[in-house]
Amino acid sequence: MLRLITGRPGPSGFGSASTAEQVTHAIDGSNLTAIVTGGASGIGMETARVLAKRNVHVIIAARNMEAANEAKQRIHKDNKAARVDVEKLDLSSIRSVKAFTDNFKALNLPLNILINNAGIMFCPFQLSEDGVEMQFATNHLGHFYLTNLLLDKMKETAKATGIQGRIVNLSSIAHICPYKEGIRFHKINDKSSYQEKLAYAQSKLANILHANELSRQLQEGGANITVNSVHPGLIMTPLMRHSALLMRTLRAFTCFLWKNVPQGAATTCYVALHPSLKGVTGKYYFDCNEHKPSKLARDEALAENLWDFSNNLVNAARKT
């Protein structure tokens, strides 16, 4: 807590006050290609901007193409040499995820880094077009399917270039307070007991479990790809549009805990690019330092069950 308040660096040399530019200083990513979901606004856009500043070829994957193109223009305004492209992606739609990956593969680009950043927060109960509770569908299931579809491309790239691939899942400290059972496999779409904050926490717990199980599988298979999850910190971004009044009130009493957007993107950029994390996988980071997530997030059996459950949901959606 003291480090969080003061910004004092941790073992990595960085802390809560570090910005994305600072943690990637002097890193050259000119031989890298990255996909950033939700890169049209907030910390996703800052992540895309800083990666592009470090010469990474960035693909902004976003639902709102107008916002994505505006983000691209803003990045180019400050960095005319930036390599930035945009592609449409609606993570709440299995059909859209498949279309995005088909379009990306048609570009015949390598893929070194996948940043699963996009998300929604505290929204009222609704179902996705595939019939899955919207926060779970968008924050977890869409990224789960996206990652699976891109894994072969990442493996091919890592093998051809010798450069280790990196997958980064954006979770949240909120993962510590989901529904009592962690993931409500049998009540994922239960409107009567739905609580938007617990459902959000459930989806963020799923992000860590997904990263951990995928990390285990890739290690077992000998793939040269790491998978880690991060908590970006408390940042006022468009993600909080469903609870803006609550968040502003909370911020008034906890102002010393909040970050600005450049600080909020720091941990993502650190885990995605910093050379000190070569070979590090299956870990959870915030403030650019490794931390231990909740007991549920470390439950290997729960992670395996979530993997099977997610596969079943995807397979069911693909048949409709």
Side-chain angles (χ1 to χ4, degrees):
M1 180 61 74
L2 183 61
R3 281 203 181 103
L4 178 61
I5 296 171
T6 63
R8 191 176 69 187
S12 70
F14 305 110
S16 61
S18 301
T19 67
E21 287 198 20
Q22 289 170 343
V23 304
T24 59
H25 177 69
I27 295 176
D28 180 16
S30 56
N31 55 349
L32 302 176
T33 300
I35 292 174
V36 181
T37 69
S41 64
I43 59 175
M45 179 180 170
E46 177 66 2
T47 298
R49 184 189 73 80
V50 172
L51 292 184
K53 186 179 181 70
R54 303 304 175 216
N55 302 316
V56 177
H57 184 182
V58 178
I59 312 298
I60 293 177
R63 181 176 54 187
N64 186 331
M65 290 301 288
E66 182 179 354
N69 280 302
E70 288 176 0
K72 177 181 176 179
Q73 291 172 11
R74 288 174 62 183
I75 293 171
H76 276 147
K77 184 177 180 181
D78 293 333
N79 178 10
K80 289 182 172 55
R83 294 179 295 160
V84 181
D85 292 299
V86 300
E87 292 287 343
K88 186 173 180 60
L89 171 63
D90 180 353
L91 285 157
S92 71
S93 164
I94 294 301
R95 179 177 54 185
S96 177
V97 173
K98 181 62 165 62
F100 168 84
T101 57
D102 287 345
N103 291 338
F104 174 76
K105 290 174 183 177
L107 297 174
N108 199 29
L109 292 171
L111 181 59
N112 307 93
I113 301 168
L114 173 61
I115 299 179
N116 291 321
N117 164 85
I120 57 176
M121 183 179 187
F122 299 169
C123 62
F125 180 85
Q126 56 182 312
L127 297 178
S128 71
E129 69 175 45
D130 302 305
V132 180
E133 187 275 309
M134 189 62 81
Q135 291 193 87
F136 190 83
T138 304
N139 297 349
H140 165 66
L141 193 63
H143 282 127
F144 173 84
Y145 187 42
L146 174 72
T147 304
N148 282 353
L149 290 177
L150 292 173
L151 269 181
D152 284 344
K153 171 61 71 172
M154 294 195 73
K155 290 176 182 178
E156 291 169 10
T157 301
K159 186 174 182 180
T161 63
I163 300 172
Q164 190 169 69
R166 297 191 184 187
I167 299 170
V168 184
N169 278 6
L170 263 74
S171 179
S172 168
I173 198 169
H175 83 273
I176 66 175
C177 51
Y179 295 106
K180 182 179 179 180
E181 56 268 59
I183 308 295
R184 303 199 313 169
F185 296 114
H186 302 297
K187 294 184 178 180
I188 205 73
N189 295 334
D190 186 2
K191 183 177 181 180
S192 64
S193 59
Y194 176 80
Q195 296 184 54
E196 65 269 17
K197 295 176 182 60
L198 297 184
Y200 174 74
Q202 171 182 247
S203 71
K204 296 290 100 179
L205 171 62
N207 293 148
I208 301 178
L209 292 169
H210 169 221
N212 291 349
E213 174 60 15
L214 179 57
S215 173
R216 184 192 68 77
Q217 292 184 19
L218 291 174
Q219 283 185 292
E220 191 176 84
N224 191 21
I225 301 171
T226 63
V227 194
N228 294 290
S229 50
V230 306
H231 165 52
L234 293 171
I235 310 109
M236 189 64 74
T237 72
L239 182 66
M240 297 179 176
R241 59 187 174 273
H242 293 293
S243 55
L245 179 59
L246 172 63
M247 291 299 107
R248 290 193 185 99
T249 303
L250 177 63
R251 187 175 184 178
F253 292 97
T254 59
C255 57
F256 54 87
L257 297 176
W258 289 69
K259 296 181 178 183
N260 57 37
V261 170
Q263 292 168 339
T267 304
T268 301
C269 289
Y270 172 74
V271 175
L273 278 187
H274 205 277
S276 67
L277 267 70
K278 183 178 180 180
V280 177
T281 189
K283 304 298 182 182
Y284 169 69
Y285 288 82
F286 69 81
D287 294 342
C288 300
N289 287 277
E290 182 185 339
H291 289 267
K292 183 182 289 187
S294 71
K295 184 177 180 180
L296 281 171
R298 305 193 308 272
D299 188 325
E300 294 181 3
L302 184 62
E304 290 180 11
N305 289 338
L306 175 64
W307 187 277
D308 293 339
F309 179 70
S310 302
N311 264 330
N312 289 338
L313 287 177
V314 168
N315 290 336
R318 291 176 61 194
K319 291 177 181 177
T320 59

